[in-house]
Amino acid sequence: MSEHLYDNPVISGFHPDPSVCRVGDDYYLVCSSFEYVPGLPLFHSKDLVHWEQIGNVLDRPGQLPLPLPGAKASGGLYAPTIRHHDGRFWVVNTNVDGGGNFVVWAERPEGPWSDPVWLALDGIDPDLAWEEDGTCWCAFSGPAGGINIARIDPAGGKVLEGPVPTWSGSGLKYPEAPHLYRVGGWWYLLIAEGGTERGHAVSVARARSPRGPWEAAPGNPLLSHAGTARPVQNTGHADLVEAPDGSWWMVLLGVRPRGFTPDVHVLGRETFLTPVEWDADGWPVVAPVPERHAAPGGAWHPVPAPPARDDFTGTALAPYWVSPFARPESCWSLTDRPGWLVLDATGPTLDSPGYTFVGRRQQHHDCRVTALLDPGTGRGGLCVRLDEAHHYELEAGDGEVRVVARIGPLRQTVARRPVPAGPLSLTVTVRTADLVPASPHLTDGGTTGPDTLAFWLGDPGAPDARPLAELDGRYLSTEVACGFTGRVIGMYATEGSVAFDWFEYVPSSAV
């Protein structure tokens, strides 16, 4: 057994629908990105525990039409699958807002990745698997709600056989996220079912051929936390990988709900890791997802965390910076004012698509975000975003700083303070409700949301510091706003040009 222990999740924050493959001693993992671009974050690890983002699979405008067609929250790029075959890395994915299913490939995981090759297959959550003779199969969730399979030419995009229905689970709703594996003399079909909410589950079947017939595992669902008090919920959408020592592991999504009943999650669906055993009859067996567990055997390879502060001194934005729907080069610059990120407004409000926003995922329940910005004659600041109808803004412009809350159809300025011209420091702090006293303005019969967001002008640590406003975090949760994403915190401009000298994201443990 490994002497090292790991904590779940292994990739925190809004990183759902993980898919993983191993090449030698290296693991590569991709996640869904929905409306955010660049699309499909790509990670590398040596031990399945420590992951470093090395890029995004879809990182240039020529790979997808931008803005993404449809331009709606929780649209865009759904669950990808990554595989390595015949010297190439392959990713198959669905753009639900335009084009459907497509394949891209690269000789190196860092890219460049090819332009999409589109597949005439109607559905979502595609998978790729190869037989020893090179035959390629694509399993996917079909429009009628079952799992289909087709024989394809992934490089040319041709459908050579099918699609035909296969096995579609144990009877729970929404059978989806299929993955095919050849293990020994069997083909295994791993799927998600039960929906991606509290009833989420993983089930498995097997056959001697990808064409079936499929035999369901007697113990299905293979994994589910539904109806339990475990701190990790919504477990599902899994992928399997074998480590060099012969052990098997599962990556999957889950959430960490907080707050008063019915509990809400604010970070989105995250990536978790759990061990897999094989029973005497050849079926995979998965224990409930642990909060802490012994790591895979072999070398332990911690990776440096992204720097807390981005001083914008490079020639390109780091791969973790994302924007909703589009990020045209005309709306941002690292050279107009060297050492600053300059954002040029492309829309007058954050309440509808088309605005300028550059953000990063909130990855910790407790954190502090600070930026030094110069609004000049423009208007912009910091935003905590879930979608166009659910976001909080800390905005500078017109000689004042104000806090704006957009909750569903309501938009209200909840605080404002005059400020002199020139650069100023803005901070957003996020604290879980059980770690700090609830604001008297938030209490409702003793119940509050999962966290409190406080908005500050200047240094929150100053002796006489008082927040401009405190807002309940439940209104920026998936359970309130709906959708598939999590919070993204970042910088924006809605009028003129706004320059940011630096942006700092610090987890509470480091504050």
Side-chain angles (χ1 to χ4, degrees):
M1 180 175 288
S2 169
E3 62 182 12
H4 300 290
L5 298 176
Y6 71 89
D7 294 316
N8 266 316
V10 290
I11 307 179
S12 60
F14 155 47
H15 292 102
D17 308 325
S19 176
V20 65
C21 72
R22 179 175 65 87
V23 182
D25 294 330
D26 296 279
Y27 300 93
Y28 299 95
L29 182 147
V30 291
C31 298
S32 299
S33 53
F34 296 94
E35 73 266 29
Y36 288 97
V37 296
L40 309 184
L42 176 64
F43 294 85
H44 169 255
S45 175
K46 284 283 190 179
D47 56 15
L48 280 174
V49 173
H50 303 97
W51 294 93
E52 179 181 12
Q53 187 174 355
I54 59 175
N56 296 277
V57 174
L58 303 176
D59 61 0
R60 62 181 187 274
Q63 290 175 301
L64 285 176
L66 295 176
L68 289 172
K72 63 179 181 293
S74 291
L77 301 176
Y78 279 27
T81 296
I82 186 169
R83 295 292 183 255
H84 185 263
H85 175 75
D86 197 24
R88 278 183 174 176
F89 290 88
W90 302 80
V91 168
V92 61
N93 188 222
T94 311
N95 181 3
V96 298
D97 289 328
N101 292 302
F102 63 91
V103 176
V104 293
W105 65 86
E107 303 297 329
R108 301 171 62 250
E110 299 85 356
W113 289 80
S114 71
D115 287 340
V117 172
W118 298 94
L119 301 171
L121 296 173
D122 188 12
I124 61 170
D125 299 0
D127 174 70
L128 294 176
W130 282 265
E131 296 191 62
E132 292 181 357
D133 65 0
T135 299
C136 181
W137 295 95
C138 179
F140 61 97
S141 179
I147 304 300
N148 294 341
I149 191 170
R151 185 167 60 90
I152 67 168
D153 168 16
K158 295 181 179 179
V159 178
L160 305 175
E161 178 184 341
V164 296
T166 63
W167 177 73
S168 290
S170 65
L172 299 176
K173 68 177 181 179
Y174 303 145
E176 57 191 7
H179 289 305
L180 275 169
Y181 315 90
R182 176 70 179 268
V183 182
W186 291 99
W187 284 87
Y188 291 85
L189 177 59
L190 193 75
I191 73 165
E193 55 179 340
T196 194
E197 299 81 29
R198 296 295 190 267
H200 214 192
V202 180
S203 296
V204 68
R206 67 185 181 187
R208 293 297 185 183
S209 163
R211 294 180 174 87
W214 294 94
E215 170 195 4
N220 279 329
L222 180 63
L223 172 68
S224 180
H225 284 192
T228 73
R230 295 184 176 277
V232 179
Q233 290 292 321
N234 302 30
T235 50
H237 205 115
D239 200 2
L240 299 177
V241 67
E242 184 181 12
D245 65 359
S247 63
W248 283 80
W249 296 83
M250 174 184 285
V251 296
L252 70 157
L253 68 79
V255 304
R256 292 179 287 167
R258 302 287 182 93
F260 191 70
T261 185
D263 296 341
V264 299
H265 70 282
V266 300
L267 302 185
R269 299 171 300 163
E270 306 174 280
T271 291
F272 293 80
L273 177 71
T274 194
V276 178
E277 303 290 342
W278 295 85
D279 69 17
D281 294 324
W283 291 107
V285 178
V286 183
V289 177
E291 290 186 86
R292 171 169 283 199
H293 194 274
W300 187 249
H301 289 277
V303 298
R309 177 179 293 196
D310 194 330
D311 289 306
F312 303 120
T313 56
T315 58
L317 290 173
Y320 54 79
W321 289 113
V322 294
S323 300
F325 314 118
R327 190 197 293 161
E329 292 186 2
S330 60
C331 79
W332 65 278
S333 174
L334 293 170
T335 58
D336 287 354
R337 187 171 176 177
W340 295 65
L341 171 64
V342 178
L343 300 183
D344 294 319
T346 53
T349 173
L350 303 183
D351 297 341
S352 59
Y355 51 85
T356 299
F357 175 95
V358 176
R360 54 158 295 167
R361 293 159 171 87
Q362 181 184 333
Q363 293 185 266
H364 304 82
H365 285 109
D366 300 274
C367 61
R368 183 191 69 206
V369 172
T370 303
L372 181 66
L373 70 153
D374 183 357
T377 59
R379 182 163 51 89
L382 295 178
C383 175
V384 185
R385 177 191 189 273
L386 203 62
D387 59 28
E388 278 64 51
H390 301 85
H391 55 83
Y392 296 155
E393 303 164 34
L394 178 57
E395 181 174 273
D398 303 323
E400 68 175 9
V401 169
R402 50 194 164 266
V403 179
V404 179
R406 171 68 193 267
I407 303 171
L410 304 177
R411 178 181 176 88
Q412 182 176 358
T413 298
V414 297
R416 58 198 334 144
R417 183 178 299 173
V419 293
L424 62 147
S425 174
L426 300 181
T427 295
V428 179
T429 58
V430 185
R431 294 293 192 194
T432 50
D434 58 348
L435 294 182
V436 296
S439 166
H441 302 291
L442 302 181
T443 56
D444 180 14
T447 65
T448 65
D451 56 10
T452 298
L453 286 77
F455 302 85
W456 309 78
L457 173 61
D459 181 7
D464 58 347
R466 297 290 185 272
L468 278 70
E470 293 179 294
L471 297 176
D472 191 331
R474 83 184 88 181
Y475 301 110
L476 302 188
S477 72
T478 299
E479 282 75 7
V480 170
C482 302
F484 299 120
T485 62
R487 287 183 188 163
V488 175
I489 305 178
M491 304 158 285
Y492 72 92
T494 50
E495 184 178 310
S497 296
V498 180
F500 294 83
D501 187 18
W502 49 264
F503 178 102
E504 184 175 74
Y505 176 98
V506 183
S508 64
S509 59
V511 174

